[in-house]
Amino acid sequence: MSENGYLMAFIAVAAIATFATRVIPFLFFERHTDHPLVQHLGRYLPAAVMALLATVFLQRSANWSADLPGLDALIPGALVVILHLWQRNSLLSIAAGTASYMVIQQTGILGS
Amino acid sequence: MNLSVFRQTLPILFGYLPLGTAFGVLFATQLDYAWWVAPLMGVVIYAGAGQILAVSLLAANAGLVEVFVAMFVLNARHLFYGLSLLGQFRGAGLRKLYLIFGLTDETYSLLTSRPRYQDRRHEQEIDFRITGFNQCYWVIGCALGALLGDNVVFDSTGIEYALVALFIVLTIEQLKALGDSVPMWIGAAAAGIAMLLLPPAHQLIGAIAIVTVALLVQYRRIRTSQAGKEARHV
């Protein structure tokens, strides 16, 4: 296979594999939309997945070997939670959290 | 309407531009292919971690079967996302294919968290635009990164935290909409367990597997307690 042939085949296979993971629930559960189990999962899964993604990505954005382990990500995270519970303005919460994280990372004030 | 859609997708813009750029830079520095292959991958594959993995697979000249298995396993968490959107996407016609194709972590977050009204066609139209906007940000990021290499002008270190902040905000929104914090604790605990037990590459799918099992157990308990109540009433 030529180099470009390999590249195009590679991209096609990667695209098909990725699309397969997204389309499978629609292929296999489309007829069971009203099943109480599917309804139960559909109702509670988003909240659980969101908390899971927040936890995993929060942990990954933190420096756990700093003098104050994890605070570089946990303080902006706490700011997001407090601001959001108070004002409930998504853009404000996200912008303030991101800006504070950027300041902490770029100045290294938390020893990170 | 487009302005409100754009506002909803702003956090994704701040997350996807730097992450897409990071992928583009990685692509350009690790491989010898033309720069436009990076945005092409953003158009047809459209998966952040998947594309980053693809760079190392390409560099290693991996076999196509291996590529399929690796990409499928890495993206396996998407297998669960559609379950919450089966009804919402029903009857969307050709658009449905694109809605399913574009179901990344971030798009899933927005689509399952935003308020919805009666008119399903209109809601599908908004879902479609959100998905389209998000993918545009990603593709632009991929192209920018591949073109710029590492000559980034402004210090954007840390801007990708926008996605973490987005997930926190959406968790709070889900909590308020559900009025039940149990799923949130299940999700956070599952993430904790997965992070303790698994290497980073398998943590997300591991955590989602734990969450699914926990929700199945919860479902069975609700069912049996309902069945018990009904039995007592007879």
Side-chain angles (χ1 to χ4, degrees):
Chain A
M1 216 180 328
S2 74
E3 198 181 335
N4 277 328
Y6 170 74
L7 178 65
M8 289 306 139
F10 179 100
I11 293 177
V13 167
I16 291 166
T18 306
F19 183 66
T21 61
R22 293 173 182 159
V23 80
I24 281 174
F26 293 91
L27 295 179
F28 289 91
F29 292 98
E30 190 65 87
R31 282 193 216 124
H32 309 286
T33 312
D34 299 327
H35 189 283
L37 175 59
V38 172
Q39 297 247 326
H40 180 83
L41 287 178
R43 188 169 138 84
Y44 292 112
L45 203 56
V49 168
M50 238 49 78
L52 175 169
L53 290 171
T55 309
V56 169
F57 285 99
L58 192 62
Q59 185 262 336
R60 287 184 186 172
S61 56
N63 179 1
W64 296 99
S65 52
D67 298 338
L68 301 161
L71 280 192
D72 59 330
L74 291 176
I75 289 174
L79 179 68
V80 175
V81 173
I82 292 164
L83 258 182
H84 200 67
L85 289 176
W86 176 38
Q87 292 282 322
R88 217 167 164 201
N89 176 337
S90 304
L91 282 185
L92 174 71
S93 318
I94 292 166
T98 307
S100 64
Y101 181 79
M102 288 174 78
V103 169
I104 292 171
Q105 296 301 324
Q106 293 185 16
T107 58
I109 46 174
L110 285 174
S112 42
Chain B
M1 186 176 92
N2 269 330
L3 194 66
S4 88
V5 170
F6 176 67
R7 273 177 57 100
Q8 289 183 59
T9 61
L10 261 182
I12 315 273
L13 171 72
F14 294 128
Y16 272 9
L17 272 186
L19 286 183
T21 306
F23 161 76
V25 169
L26 186 74
F27 180 91
T29 51
Q30 301 292 308
L31 302 169
D32 272 335
Y33 296 110
W35 70 270
W36 51 263
V37 173
L40 175 71
M41 288 169 82
V43 171
V44 300
I45 303 176
Y46 189 32
Q51 283 176 229
I52 289 168
L53 172 72
V55 171
S56 46
L57 290 172
L58 270 176
N61 248 292
L64 294 179
V65 175
E66 195 186 338
V67 173
F68 186 91
V69 173
M71 295 295 283
F72 191 91
V73 171
L74 184 71
N75 292 314
R77 65 186 180 284
H78 298 150
L79 287 169
F80 299 89
Y81 290 176
L83 291 175
S84 319
L85 293 161
L86 288 170
Q88 180 57 35
F89 288 178
R90 179 170 281 174
L94 264 184
R95 295 213 158 134
K96 185 168 166 178
L97 265 184
Y98 182 67
L99 286 168
I100 295 172
F101 166 81
L103 218 45
T104 59
D105 294 328
E106 291 75 14
T107 302
Y108 173 74
S109 310
L110 286 192
L111 297 193
T112 55
S113 305
R114 67 187 196 80
R116 290 185 181 277
Y117 302 96
Q118 281 294 315
D119 184 354
R120 201 203 293 175
R121 288 207 74 83
H122 178 72
E123 295 301 323
Q124 286 168 346
E125 176 67 29
I126 296 177
D127 287 347
F128 185 76
R129 288 180 192 204
I130 289 177
T131 309
F133 271 106
N134 289 350
Q135 191 177 10
C136 284
Y137 308 148
W138 177 252
V139 173
I140 292 169
C142 294
L144 268 181
L147 281 172
L148 288 178
D150 27 18
N151 306 319
V152 184
V153 208
F154 124 96
D155 187 358
S156 60
T157 306
I159 199 171
E160 70 286 351
Y161 193 81
L163 289 180
V164 181
L166 173 71
F167 290 137
I168 296 174
V169 163
L170 293 179
T171 304
I172 297 173
E173 290 294 330
Q174 289 280 351
L175 189 62
K176 297 211 172 200
L178 267 183
D180 179 356
S181 64
V182 173
M184 189 191 83
W185 295 118
I186 292 177
I193 296 169
M195 290 187 300
L196 284 175
L197 297 181
L198 298 172
H202 304 302
Q203 284 167 359
L204 282 179
I205 181 65
I208 289 178
I210 298 170
V211 158
T212 309
V213 171
L215 289 179
L216 288 177
V217 171
Q218 187 197 24
Y219 173 76
R220 280 203 57 169
R221 286 178 55 182
I222 293 173
R223 290 243 113 186
T224 39
S225 77
Q226 275 174 350
K229 272 182 206 150
E230 276 159 27
R232 258 175 271 139
H233 284 297
V234 171

